[in-house]
Amino acid sequence: MGGWAPYLLTNRKTHTSITFGSGTLIVSGQSLFCACRLLLTPDNLQEGSPVPNLVVVGCQWGDEGKGKIVDILAHHADVIVRFQGGSNAGHTVVTRKGTFVFHLIPSGILSRGKQCVLGNGVVIDPGALIEEMDRLRGQGVRIGRNLAISQRAHLIMPYHKAIEEASERARGMKRIGTTGKGIGPAYVDKMARIGIRIEDLLAPSIFRQKVEENLVEINLFLEQVYHMKGFRAEKVCREYLNYAPRIHAHVVDDSLLLHTAMQQGQAILFEGAQGTHLDVDLGTYPYVTSSNACAGGACTGTGVGPTKIDAVLGVTKAYTTRVGSGPFPSELTDAIGERLQERGNEFGSTTGRPRRCGWLDALVLRYAVRVNGCSSLAVTKLDVLDGMKELKIAVAYQHGDTIYTDMPAAHHVLTECEPIYEVLPGWKASTSKVTSYKALPREAKQYLTRIEELTECPVDLISTGSRREQILILRNPLAHTRSRLRVAQVSA
Ligand code: IMP
């Protein structure tokens, strides 16, 4: 219980006041860092203070390191909820107890007393979910009622994976480079209103009927278009209905659960998967995933209204990566790209595919800050840039005679444009052991300040390595909440 209290109440230029229950601490800009470390210590949490709801989203093409940020923030939340995507996501959390790999289940499950939720916007492969539950249980993780699954979440069916595989093969050079988890076809069925939901799995006769009806058309499609063998409804039903008893106890109305949690004053952390530029509406279409990976998806994917969201934290790497096909203006196909890939260990955690690497792109970030309404940023993997002589940030794109300073939508422009770079000095010293912002190399601070200027968004968290403690906390990501500032102004 409790959540994120104390929190910053005012953030004026010269000082910041922080409430601790009944007391107030005034800190100058200099000591702000120390004070804010204090803010994020669970021991400081006070009961009865207002608690916020925070959305964490990726600002690039996924793999920004959201997993580690969510893992740290989850200690200060009561409920952690995934709102979109499926087992196409993947992250690893390293603790004293071992290495834990997550695809569907929020990593908050590692902390006792936290409620984890798979929201209605998630697509669930029940076989993959049960495998993940069993694997985590085998590592000593308790999974009971602390894992809730929305009754409205859609199922990934075996035919979704078959359709995806055949479709990617047929596209040849134009393939999306999907994770092969059946995500796209599952969302296609959802939108076509023929999707099968978790609630159907709990009603065998309804489930059977839906599978049989769907397979009439799907088998025809697979056989006639892709010359593949169709699926037998009986076999599919037998497999899936066997999963039902393993899932039954976890099924809830996610919207109601979250509403009740909010009424009880609990803090909710909305965990995004993939990233802004993979969002089906706002990403680099058609080379995107099939869900809303942006902050708006947190509302539709959980049944929580936008007025209940207090802040949005955007996560970005200190450089850029992308897995799969699609435009990537600042991509480096030279030795520098290879260096980033090697030093950053840039290999997909779900598919193991090498990630494409490139310079940081301010157009990509500025767009993400805008469409997500980011209140602040977390910059990850700063240490990967250690030892580089100079760094570049794309600040515009040139396409023919046109200069773009904001992210263009057209696929052909994004594919053909040439980035215009700003060059910044690199730093020699290692940042991975630095424990305060002050101790960062001057050039690293300059780089971070430039990110803030270009995005017009403050950087709150800086990650300098994969371990939990390799994080610099400049401010509480909730310090920028408008409602909080209003409260402060009214009471001033
Ligand atoms: P899908 O989500 O499997 O349909 O894949 C669509 C695109 O999103 C492909 O380019 C994938 O590589 C990419 N993608 C999906 N999930 C992730 C992720 O978690 N990180 C990075 N890229 C992803």
Side-chain angles (χ1 to χ4, degrees), residues 61-64 66 85-91 164 168 175-185 187 273-275 278 286-291 321-326 348-351 353 355-356:
W61 282 279
D63 309 313
E64 295 91 352
K66 297 179 291 298
S87 41
N88 48 349
H91 66 264
E164 177 169 34
E168 282 281 88
R175 69 182 173 276
I176 307 289
T178 70
T179 57
K181 305 287 179 189
I183 305 289
Y187 280 113
Q274 289 84 47
L278 287 175
Y287 292 92
V288 291
T289 189
S290 303
S291 64
T321 64
R322 176 165 200 168
V323 207
S325 322
S349 42
T350 299
T351 58
R353 288 179 293 177
R355 296 180 186 138
R356 299 154 65 193

Side-chain angles (χ1 to χ4, degrees), residues 340-369:
L340 290 173
Q341 191 181 71
E342 198 184 309
R343 287 212 51 181
N345 191 24
E346 295 296 354
F347 297 91
S349 42
T350 299
T351 58
R353 288 179 293 177
R355 296 180 186 138
R356 299 154 65 193
C357 297
W359 295 119
L360 192 72
D361 186 329
L363 284 79
V364 161
L365 290 191
R366 211 164 37 234
Y367 178 81
V369 166

